[in-house]
């Protein structure tokens, strides 16, 4: 793979950089990077086609209600299938090969973005668009938001902006459609861009009849067929996703934020020290690039209307923002070298800290669980993860049919205002919950995993039931609420 006009050395450098990036990201970000991709893929292949063991795998409530599509997990299920055929389905390969594939796609996206900006401006502007701590932190993760962002970059490289000779309506619309299939919110930043293209297009009927309609029918049709195979019925997940997150706004179950959150926290955090350069670039950039700024503002405004907000939701507009940052640095009249050094250092430190240290316990603790698969104790072992639900990965990071359980937290879809999920019930009185749940000692799991903040509250239960601490795993320097600085693994002495 080498984009027209780009040196194979540039591609090799990008691949090497993102490979290193992948190796230096050893922390968890959000549960979706496992539960909406790798866990689904693992269940698709190893439960259904290989082991045929009940409950060897888990689908979250979104899959039970048809809010997610199988197109994205199918990519990783295909990778797992290849590893299985090669007899290389070792748990470490199951964890890292999908991430390396994601890193490879990120490298190609880097080259595409660099090529586009160099084509529109020059190499000096282009070299600054990739220097982002948040891109480093996110681009190799198996998140739908990551794939949405990468496809946005690929599509942008074919977008027919004034001054570009690489525009291709069919290619960019196909890539947008694929992004929408993977994550329906991908349509948001493209609404102003597509309307701008349509407004300037002289052959509007041809654009609709020969590009929009065929591309839409093929991609939506393919998505429908894939989901029909795995759901066992016809499901239009994009419509269900829209109903839940926009029309019903049920995402508030997982937290709500003020309307201005993306302006006061979201963008400032992901842009970090690039923020003043982004603002300067927006002011300095010529009119033909205003459509990029419009895409950023429009996307942030749309997401601001939804109560539940997360940094990753606006990740797809980061490439647009970095374009303006690059334009700013290119046109700085003074202190250009100092500004560049400052940006490099100020992005390197948070990139390394968040990638190597912050929230790493969720992954590290799974290595202790994996060890239970490698001895004769496996059939008697059982794990109970007493943490905020989906805090850790599951079978995709264990790859053996251990008995595992975690606290559940599906939202109520029936309108019951008094509904309380299992996790909230547990945390309201952990000791009472444990005594009631495990009223008979035969029901006790062999291992308990929980955050350090919970230890004192349940210490009497641990002592009474003969548990001992077997591992302490560092998680974060900034514990908050139910999340502690460390994760503890306790094992039942009498079970060994």
């Amino acid at each position: 793979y080498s984009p027209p006009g780009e040196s194979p050395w540039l591609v090799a450098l990008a691949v090497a950089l993102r490979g290193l990036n992948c190796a230096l990201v050893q922390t968890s970000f959000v549960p979706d990077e496992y539960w909406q991709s790798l866990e689904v893929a693992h269940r698709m292949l190893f439960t259904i086609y290989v082991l045929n063991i009940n409950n060897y795998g888990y689908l979250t409530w979104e899959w039970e209600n048809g809010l997610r599509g199988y197109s994205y997990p199918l990519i990783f299920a295909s990778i797992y299938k290849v590893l299985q055929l090669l007899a290389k389905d070792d748990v470490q390969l199951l964890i890292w090969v999908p991430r390396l594939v994601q890193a490879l796609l990120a490298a190609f996206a880097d080259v595409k973005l660099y090529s586009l900006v160099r084509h529109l401006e020059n190499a000096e502007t282009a070299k600054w668009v990739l220097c982002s701590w948040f891109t480093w932190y996110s681009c190799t993760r198996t998140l739908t938001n990551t794939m949405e962002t990468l496809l946005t970059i690929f599509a942008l490289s074919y977008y027919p902006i004034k001054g570009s000779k690489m525009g291709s309506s069919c290619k960019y619309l196909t890539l947008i459609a694929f992004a929408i299939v993977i994550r329906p919110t991908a349509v948001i930043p493209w609404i102003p861009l597509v309307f701008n293209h349509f407004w300037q297009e002289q052959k509007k009927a041809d654009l609709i009849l020969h590009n929009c309609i065929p591309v839409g029918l093929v991609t939506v049709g393919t998505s429908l067929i894939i989901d029909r195979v795995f759901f066992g019925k016809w499901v239009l997940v994009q419509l269900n996703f829209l109903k839940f997150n926009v029309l019903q706004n049920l995402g508030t179950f997982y937290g709500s934020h003020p309307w201005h959150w993306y302006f006061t926290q979201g963008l400032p955090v992901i842009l970090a020290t690039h923020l003043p350069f982004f603002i300067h670039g927006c002011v300095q950039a010529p009119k033909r690039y205003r459509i990029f700024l419009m895409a950023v503002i429009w996307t942030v405004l749309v997401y601001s209307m939804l109560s539940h907000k997360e940094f990753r939701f606006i990740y797809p507009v980061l490439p647009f923002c970095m374009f303006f940052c690059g334009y700013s640095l290119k046109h700085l009249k003074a202190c250009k070298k100092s500004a560049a050094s400052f940006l490099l250092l100020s992005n390197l430190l948070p990139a390394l800290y968040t990638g190597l240290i912050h929230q790493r316990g969720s992954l590290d603790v799974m290595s202790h669980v994996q060890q239970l698969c490698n001895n004769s104790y496996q059939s008697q072992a059982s794990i109970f993860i007493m943490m905020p639900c989906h805090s850790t990965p599951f079978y995709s990071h264990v790859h053996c049919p251990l008995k595992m359980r975690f606290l559940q937290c599906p939202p109520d879809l029936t309108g019951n205002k008094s509904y309380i999920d299992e996790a909230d019930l547990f945390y309201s009185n952990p000791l009472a919950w444990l005594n009631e749940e495990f009223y008979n000692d035969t029901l006790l799991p062999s291992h308990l995993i929980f955050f350090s903040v919970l230890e004192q509250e349940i210490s009497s239960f641990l002592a009474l039931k003969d548990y001992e601490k077997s591992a302490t795993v560092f998680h974060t320097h900034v514990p908050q609420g139910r999340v502690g600085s460390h994760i503890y693994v306790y094992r039942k002495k009498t079970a060994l």
Side-chain angles (χ1 to χ4, degrees):
Y1 174 87
S2 182
E6 293 301 345
S7 164
W9 290 106
L10 177 64
V11 179
L13 178 62
V15 170
L17 178 65
R18 290 308 176 196
L20 178 65
N21 186 170
C22 183
L24 295 179
V25 174
Q26 302 171 17
T27 57
S28 62
F29 180 15
V30 290
D32 279 12
E33 63 184 301
Y34 317 111
W35 291 93
Q36 308 298 349
S37 54
L38 301 185
E39 293 301 331
V40 181
H42 190 275
R43 187 180 186 276
M44 287 166 69
L45 182 64
F46 295 107
T47 297
I48 298 173
Y49 299 115
V50 182
L51 296 173
N52 197 28
I53 296 174
N54 291 333
N55 299 322
Y56 182 55
Y58 183 91
L59 291 180
T60 59
W61 64 271
E62 293 100 325
W63 297 89
E64 299 295 334
N65 292 276
L67 268 72
R68 302 281 184 174
Y70 281 94
S71 299
Y72 185 54
L74 185 59
I75 297 171
F76 303 116
S78 302
I79 294 171
Y80 288 169
K81 184 62 178 179
V82 172
L83 291 173
Q84 183 213 6
L85 290 173
L86 296 173
K88 297 293 183 181
D89 55 324
D90 173 76
V91 64
Q92 292 302 320
L93 290 178
L94 294 180
I95 293 170
W96 284 100
V97 172
R99 290 204 49 208
L100 286 169
V101 170
Q102 198 79 57
L104 185 65
L105 291 173
F108 293 161
D110 287 343
V111 175
K112 278 291 189 182
L113 186 58
Y114 175 89
S115 179
L116 173 66
V117 178
R118 193 188 69 168
H119 178 71
L120 292 175
E121 287 295 317
N122 49 46
E124 188 176 353
T125 305
K127 69 182 180 182
W128 296 113
V129 300
L130 306 176
C131 178
S132 164
W133 81 270
F134 194 79
T135 297
W136 178 278
Y137 181 59
S138 305
C139 73
T140 63
R141 298 183 184 275
T142 51
L143 268 170
T144 53
N145 307 90
T146 296
M147 185 61 82
E148 175 188 0
T149 303
L150 299 182
L151 289 171
T152 293
I153 294 173
F154 289 133
L156 192 61
S157 68
Y158 295 110
Y159 181 73
I161 188 173
K162 185 179 179 182
S164 172
K165 297 179 182 178
M166 300 185 293
S168 170
S169 298
C170 183
K171 289 181 180 179
Y172 99 84
L173 288 171
T174 300
L175 288 162
I176 294 171
F178 186 32
I180 293 169
V181 164
I182 287 176
R183 189 170 178 86
T185 52
V187 72
I188 295 173
W190 283 101
I191 289 174
L193 289 159
V194 171
F195 269 105
N196 180 68
H197 175 205
F198 183 76
W199 181 262
Q200 295 183 350
E201 178 64 47
Q202 294 181 345
K203 300 178 180 179
K204 292 179 172 57
D206 286 350
L207 178 64
I208 294 173
L209 294 174
H210 298 157
N211 291 290
C212 295
I213 293 177
V215 165
L217 289 175
V218 171
T219 51
V220 173
T222 303
S223 172
L224 277 170
I225 293 170
I226 290 172
D227 290 331
R228 173 68 178 82
V229 171
F230 291 101
F231 278 115
K233 59 182 179 181
W234 294 107
V235 178
L236 186 58
V237 295
Q238 292 77 20
L239 181 60
N240 293 340
F241 187 93
L242 176 69
K243 284 180 180 178
F244 179 87
N245 289 288
V246 179
L247 301 181
Q248 297 175 308
N249 200 21
L250 291 175
T252 53
F253 182 81
Y254 295 107
S256 59
H257 302 79
W259 69 267
H260 55 76
W261 189 85
Y262 284 117
F263 293 99
T264 57
Q265 295 184 53
L267 268 179
V269 167
I270 69 170
L271 283 173
T273 51
H274 279 95
L275 183 60
F277 299 94
F278 167 66
I279 296 171
H280 177 250
C282 291
V283 174
Q284 293 292 319
K287 290 183 178 179
R288 68 187 178 120
Y289 298 138
R290 286 181 182 173
I291 186 61
F292 294 161
L293 178 59
M294 190 180 298
V296 174
I297 295 173
W298 162 259
T299 301
V300 174
L301 284 174
V302 170
Y303 276 118
S304 295
M305 291 188 290
L306 301 177
S307 298
H308 181 60
K309 300 174 175 66
E310 296 185 38
F311 295 111
R312 62 189 175 104
F313 292 169
I314 55 171
Y315 179 28
V317 301
L318 184 57
F320 296 93
C321 297
M322 293 305 296
F323 172 81
F324 289 105
C325 294
Y327 193 89
S328 169
L329 284 163
K330 167 64 175 68
H331 291 85
L332 277 181
K333 296 180 180 178
C335 305
K336 186 178 292 187
K337 288 186 178 180
S338 299
S341 300
F342 166 71
L343 281 175
L344 186 62
L345 183 62
S346 62
N347 277 268
L348 181 63
L349 293 177
L352 292 176
Y353 178 78
T354 57
L356 290 171
I357 300 172
H358 180 58
Q359 294 186 169
R360 68 170 298 132
S362 294
L363 299 182
D364 288 346
V365 76
M366 298 310 291
S367 63
H368 294 276
V369 179
Q370 291 165 17
Q371 292 172 11
L372 299 176
C373 297
N374 301 323
N375 55 43
S376 57
Y377 180 56
Q378 176 186 328
S379 60
Q380 287 80 38
S382 57
I383 317 295
F384 185 23
I385 303 172
M386 301 188 301
M387 300 160 72
C389 62
H390 307 121
S391 290
T392 66
F394 215 46
Y395 285 110
S396 67
H397 283 56
V398 177
H399 194 49
C400 77
L402 283 173
K403 295 176 182 177
M404 296 202 297
R405 174 188 173 187
F406 62 93
L407 295 169
Q408 305 285 321
C409 61
D412 175 60
L413 303 179
T414 64
N416 180 8
K417 294 183 179 180
S418 61
Y419 171 76
I420 304 176
D421 64 53
E422 184 182 47
D424 284 339
L425 280 172
F426 170 82
Y427 280 104
S428 65
N429 192 335
L431 187 59
W433 190 95
L434 287 170
N435 286 323
E436 183 179 348
E437 185 74 9
F438 302 112
Y439 60 89
N440 189 322
D441 284 1
T442 60
L443 301 174
L444 288 167
S446 64
H447 289 73
L448 300 175
I449 299 175
F450 52 88
F451 280 118
S452 51
V453 291
L454 192 62
E455 184 182 43
Q456 186 174 357
E457 194 167 356
I458 64 170
S459 58
S460 60
F461 175 86
L462 297 173
L464 180 65
K465 301 301 182 181
D466 207 23
Y467 282 97
E468 65 177 358
K469 189 185 296 183
S470 60
T472 299
V473 179
F474 171 78
H475 183 63
T476 178
H477 288 118
V478 283
Q480 291 181 324
R482 298 173 180 177
V483 177
S485 61
H486 291 75
I487 297 173
Y488 295 153
V489 180
Y490 271 77
R491 64 183 178 186
K492 193 165 176 30
K493 288 185 283 186
T494 55
L496 301 179

